[in-house]
């Protein structure tokens, strides 16, 4: 292979110039007080994880999909930033849209009862949804809406790094597990999201219509308790 000289210096000279300017740059930085860490330490520290507040700031007054035109409030999520368990639902309903908080309507009251039966307090968990704005008349989220919003719930989970995720309902379970299987085929087993165990279960709104399924949800909660080893809080 031939190399054209094309007015540029020899590779060795280029490298020497680069090393010199890097050295000058580092000396200048040291003069203004910048401290350096070894490559080994920087490697061990790993990339800094963004916080829930940073993810919220990036979401902003979101207009990434059509749902912003009909929402009253963005429902970002709430709870402990060091929760051992993150509960992920589908998206806000009417009560959540009015209050700007997740799971505060009838389904939320049943979820609170499930949380209490597991021996937890709501404040020690983190509760959020796949989509952050209410779809009109509580219809299912459309694919482009989940595509526009879904990255945020993943970033929320990464910011918390919980011991386990409880995915309630079809939308949350399928989204986090990138699966087409209905919730009835996903529940009853522990799955995985980026190394975090995921326990899928029925949505509390479905339980309100089908109370006979409460027994199965309780089986799933017992599995979740085993995964996290008792209490959920940090
Ligand atoms: N249903 C959900 O999936 N999420 C809520 O926040 C409320 C109802």
């Amino acid at each position: 292979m031939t190399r054209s000289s094309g007015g540029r210096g020899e590779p060795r000279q280029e490298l020497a110039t680069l090393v010199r300017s890097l050295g000058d740059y580092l000396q200048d930085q040291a003069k203004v007080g910048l401290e350096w860490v070894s490559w080994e330490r920087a490697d061990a520290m790993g990339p800094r994880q963004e916080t829930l507040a940073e993810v919220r700031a990036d979401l902003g007054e979101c207009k990434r999909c059509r749902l912003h035109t009909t929402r009253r409030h963005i429902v970002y999520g709430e709870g402990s930033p060091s929760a051992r368990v993150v509960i992920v639902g589908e998206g806000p309903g009417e009560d959540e849209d009015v209050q700007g908080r997740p799971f505060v309507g009838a389904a939320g009251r049943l979820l609170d009862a499930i949380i209490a039966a597991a021996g937890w307090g709501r404040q020690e968990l983190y509760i959020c949804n796949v989509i952050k704005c209410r779809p009109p008349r509580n219809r299912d989220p459309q694919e482009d809406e989940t595509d526009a919003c879904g990255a945020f719930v993943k970033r929320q989970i990464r910011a918390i790094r919980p011991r386990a995720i409880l995915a309630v309902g079809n939308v949350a379970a399928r989204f986090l597990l990138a699966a087409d299987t209905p919730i009835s085929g996903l529940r009853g087993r522990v799955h995985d999201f980026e190394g975090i165990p995921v326990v899928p279960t029925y949505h509390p709104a479905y339980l309100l219509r089908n109370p006979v399924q409460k027994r199965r949800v309780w089986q799933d909660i017992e599995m979740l308790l085993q995964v996290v080893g008792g209490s959920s809080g940090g």
Side-chain angles (χ1 to χ4, degrees):
M1 192 171 73
T2 54
R3 282 174 51 90
S4 97
S5 54
R8 305 186 58 198
E10 287 300 310
R12 268 189 191 197
Q13 277 174 352
E14 282 179 30
L15 188 62
T17 313
L18 254 174
V19 169
R20 256 198 311 278
S21 34
L22 179 62
D24 291 347
Y25 172 75
L26 292 179
Q27 276 179 5
D28 285 350
Q29 294 296 303
K31 277 184 214 149
V32 294
L34 201 77
E35 289 180 9
W36 301 93
V37 292
S38 67
W39 286 114
E40 289 77 13
R41 227 186 112 208
D43 253 9
M45 285 169 14
R48 192 184 71 77
Q49 186 55 59
E50 64 183 346
T51 64
L52 283 170
E54 285 165 344
V55 180
R56 178 65 188 88
D58 187 29
L59 181 63
E61 278 308 300
C62 185
K63 295 186 175 155
R64 291 170 179 83
C65 81
R66 67 183 74 76
L67 296 182
H68 80 274
T69 60
T70 48
R71 74 166 179 238
R72 276 174 273 200
H73 289 106
I74 292 178
V75 181
Y76 177 59
E78 64 182 26
S80 166
S82 56
R84 286 195 199 170
V85 175
V86 170
I87 299 180
V88 180
E90 172 178 327
E94 183 169 16
D95 295 297
E96 292 77 18
D97 182 45
V98 169
Q99 295 187 42
R101 298 181 54 213
F103 282 102
V104 289
R109 284 189 287 281
L110 181 51
L111 184 65
D112 285 346
I114 295 169
I115 290 170
W120 300 325
R122 196 176 155 117
Q123 72 292 341
E124 63 183 304
L125 310 175
Y126 190 84
I127 305 179
C128 57
N129 287 300
V130 174
I131 59 163
K132 311 298 188 206
C133 298
R134 180 192 180 208
R137 295 174 306 284
N138 297 347
R139 64 158 168 76
D140 283 351
Q142 291 171 4
E143 200 177 328
D144 60 332
E145 295 159 358
T146 331
D147 286 349
C149 203
F152 288 94
V153 70
K154 292 184 179 175
R155 288 165 64 186
Q156 285 172 290
I157 292 169
R158 289 183 198 123
I160 298 171
R161 292 293 311 168
R163 284 203 188 173
I165 300 166
L166 180 68
V168 298
N170 261 316
V171 170
R174 285 179 174 183
F175 175 76
L176 290 175
L177 304 177
D180 281 338
T181 320
I183 186 72
S184 55
L186 292 171
R187 64 153 297 278
R189 278 174 295 135
V190 181
H191 301 254
D192 173 277
F193 170 80
E194 297 183 359
I196 304 169
V198 178
V199 175
T201 197
Y202 291 120
H203 195 286
Y206 170 78
L207 279 190
L208 288 172
R209 300 189 300 272
N210 300 276
V212 66
Q213 299 289 12
K214 282 186 186 170
R215 192 175 52 86
R216 291 213 166 85
V217 170
W218 187 244
Q219 289 167 355
D220 297 334
I221 297 296
E222 285 184 325
M223 201 162 56
L224 176 67
L225 283 167
Q226 276 184 5
V227 171
V228 296
S231 142
S232 103

